[in-house]
């Protein structure tokens, strides 16, 4: 009996000696990603980590505009001349993007890419004014016609789509669903500026930091969060500065130029697909209109950092 007790106790001790938190940083969709979750079964955990990585890669192969064989590339090459049938998954994300465009008065617009492809932030490349004037006319989400039976058509030649403002959030959300379905109750998944939390950190909230928009080694805020998503869009992620002008990757569809006025916007809410698209949208809308929009969405909150580096909180956060 005593022997059995000792065996049980030593088993318990040896089990807790193994870390039941499983973690992996990895690269995907052109950015750094990280997954961390709690599981007492190391074999299952190792499989889940692989499945998470595979899920990101699957979505990347489907939706990257830089992969010639992706469904999205096929659309960008052919959809101006013929109706193209796409997967239900891509069709649904395109529909989602259109809904968000309508909701944001066009601040969110996946056809920003019609001009976006002329920018290369690493090479310090931007469109010259003439090209800008012409390509700007091609930015209009209404040119992406979503037809019956998952068929898609672009209304004009020259229209291009890029899902960079929503696909990463979607992938994070899908990966978190995968973990949840496998019974994982405590997890953090992040890719670029998009993070999804399942549950808490076993008794403690997760701590999610918002980067300082002008000092790489500092945080602007740290938020205790659980069971939610948070996405941040900033003008400091991909950019170059020329003649005092910051050219960065969030494009105002009404000008075809990098959006000015804010340095960063974070959106908190249940669905990472939505927080991703909303953070980009609010960045373009600016403080006043962006705040108005977020206040109309009861389950979603936002933190804006303005040009003077002052933080502004939506009412649900300001109360806390
Ligand atoms: P990231 O997490 O990649 O920094 P954000 O969520 O901040 O991305 O969104 C920026 C990305 O969204 C850009 O890299 C581009 O692909 C895309 N994008 C830029 N402007 C718009 C826009 N007005 N509407 C929709 N998507 C946009
Ligand atoms: Mg975004």
């Amino acid at each position: 009996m005593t022997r059995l007790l000792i065996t049980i106790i030593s088993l318990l001790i040896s089990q807790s000696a193994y870390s039941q938190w499983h973690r992996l940083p990895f690269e995907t969709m052109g950015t750094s990603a990280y997954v961390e979750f709690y599981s007492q079964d190391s074999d299952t955990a190792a499989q889940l980590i692989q499945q998470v990585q595979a899920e990101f890669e699957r979505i990347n192969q489907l939706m990257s505009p830089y992969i010639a064989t992706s469904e999205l590339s096929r659309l960008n090459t052919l959809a101006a001349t013929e109706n193209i049938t796409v997967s239900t998954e891509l069709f649904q994300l395109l529909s989602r993007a259109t809904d968000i465009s309508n909701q944001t008065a066009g601040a969110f617009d996946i056809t920003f890419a019609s001009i976006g492809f002329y920018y290369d932030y690493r090479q310090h490349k931007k469109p010259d004014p003439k090209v800008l004037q012409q390509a700007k006319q091609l930015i209009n989400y209404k040119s992406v016609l979503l037809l019956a039976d998952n068929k898609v058509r672009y209304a004009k030649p020259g229209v291009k789509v890029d899902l960079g403002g929503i696909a990463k959030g979607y992938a994070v959300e899908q990966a978190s669903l995968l973990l949840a379905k496998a019974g994982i109750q405590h997890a953090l998944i992040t890719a670029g500026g998009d993070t999804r939390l399942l549950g808490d950190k076993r008794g403690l909230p997760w701590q999610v930091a918002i980067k300082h928009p002008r000092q790489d080694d500092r945080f602007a805020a740290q938020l205790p969060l659980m069971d939610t998503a948070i996405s941040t869009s900033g003008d400091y992620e991909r950019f170059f500065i020329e003649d005092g002008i910051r050219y960065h990757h969030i494009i105002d569809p009404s000008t075809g130029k990098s959006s000015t006025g804010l340095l960063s916007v974070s959106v908190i809410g249940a669905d990472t697909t939505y927080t991703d698209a909303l953070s980009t949208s609010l960045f373009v809308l600016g403080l006043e209109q962006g705040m108005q929009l977020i206040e109309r969405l009861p389950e979603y909150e936002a933190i804006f950092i303005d040009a003077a580096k002052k933080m502004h909180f939506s009412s649900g956060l300001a109360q806390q």
Side-chain angles (χ1 to χ4, degrees):
M1 188 63 199
T2 331
R3 212 196 175 109
L4 181 64
L5 201 64
I6 291 172
T7 313
I8 291 173
I9 290 172
S10 57
L11 258 176
L12 286 175
I13 291 172
S14 70
Q15 238 191 19
S16 68
Y18 289 109
S19 167
Q20 287 151 351
W21 285 101
H22 305 271
R23 305 182 172 94
L24 185 78
F26 58 102
E27 295 293 314
T28 187
M29 302 179 101
T31 191
S32 304
Y34 176 72
V35 58
E36 172 174 1
F37 60 91
Y38 183 84
S39 167
Q40 284 172 328
D41 180 343
S42 299
D43 292 341
T44 311
Q47 281 173 14
L48 284 175
I49 285 186
Q50 279 194 355
Q51 286 171 19
V52 163
Q53 282 185 281
E55 181 64 358
F56 275 99
E57 210 31 57
R58 186 186 68 77
I59 294 170
N60 194 35
Q61 292 297 329
L62 200 66
M63 301 188 183
S64 169
Y66 306 108
I67 297 174
T69 52
S70 74
E71 278 200 295
L72 185 70
S73 291
R74 208 171 121 70
L75 278 181
N76 281 341
T77 314
L78 298 172
T81 48
E82 54 185 295
N83 296 353
I84 302 292
T85 305
V86 297
S87 61
T88 302
E89 189 173 20
L90 179 58
F91 194 85
Q92 283 176 350
L93 197 63
L94 291 170
S95 311
R96 195 81 199 276
T98 305
D99 291 345
I100 297 168
S101 299
N102 282 320
Q103 193 180 24
T104 59
F108 189 80
D109 191 327
I110 54 177
T111 66
F112 86 89
S114 313
I115 188 91
F117 284 130
Y118 290 100
Y119 288 91
D120 185 331
Y121 303 97
R122 261 184 225 140
Q123 309 281 337
H124 294 204
K125 227 184 85 201
K126 60 179 195 310
D128 67 50
K130 220 175 124 199
V131 171
L132 181 77
Q133 277 317 315
Q134 280 170 1
K136 206 177 78 175
Q137 321 288 331
L138 295 168
I139 304 178
N140 185 351
Y141 66 95
K142 290 178 182 155
S143 296
V144 179
L145 309 174
L146 301 174
L147 311 171
D149 303 325
N150 292 351
K151 286 192 169 51
V152 181
R153 182 70 179 257
Y154 293 175
K156 290 181 191 172
V159 171
K160 302 282 178 225
V161 164
D162 184 332
L163 295 169
I166 191 168
K168 225 174 324 126
Y170 174 75
V172 167
E173 189 65 24
Q174 291 306 111
S176 79
L177 287 176
L178 187 159
L179 290 182
K181 276 192 198 133
I184 299 300
Q185 293 175 326
H186 309 278
L188 176 150
I189 302 185
T190 188
D194 304 301
T195 303
R196 179 74 165 87
L197 309 165
L198 290 179
D200 64 359
K201 211 175 175 181
R202 300 215 351 126
L204 290 170
W206 295 95
Q207 297 290 336
V208 180
I210 297 176
K211 281 188 195 164
H212 189 288
R214 292 293 178 265
Q215 279 169 273
D216 257 358
D217 55 345
R218 276 187 59 195
F219 297 143
Q222 194 167 352
L223 309 170
L225 296 172
M226 53 181 114
D227 242 334
T228 194
I230 176 166
S231 293
T232 297
S233 292
D235 69 358
Y236 51 85
E237 285 295 343
R238 253 169 292 155
F239 72 97
F240 64 94
I241 293 175
E242 200 179 282
D243 300 330
I245 297 173
R246 179 179 286 251
Y247 296 92
H248 68 85
H249 69 317
I250 303 173
I251 304 293
D252 182 341
S254 67
T255 60
K257 297 180 184 171
S258 301
S259 179
T260 54
L262 291 170
L263 308 186
S264 138
V265 179
S266 301
V267 174
I268 302 165
D271 174 2
T272 329
T273 311
Y274 199 34
T275 55
D276 185 10
L278 273 180
S279 67
T280 310
S281 308
L282 300 193
F283 193 100
V284 171
L285 285 172
L287 179 58
E288 200 178 324
Q289 286 188 52
M291 190 65 94
Q292 279 174 15
L293 174 63
I294 203 77
E295 295 293 4
R296 289 202 301 272
L297 306 174
E299 303 296 323
Y300 284 79
E301 301 298 334
I303 301 170
F304 300 79
I305 304 181
D306 70 17
K309 303 190 197 78
K310 185 172 181 318
M311 297 178 82
H312 304 261
F313 299 88
S314 62
S315 54
L317 291 174
Q319 281 158 12
Q320 287 171 8

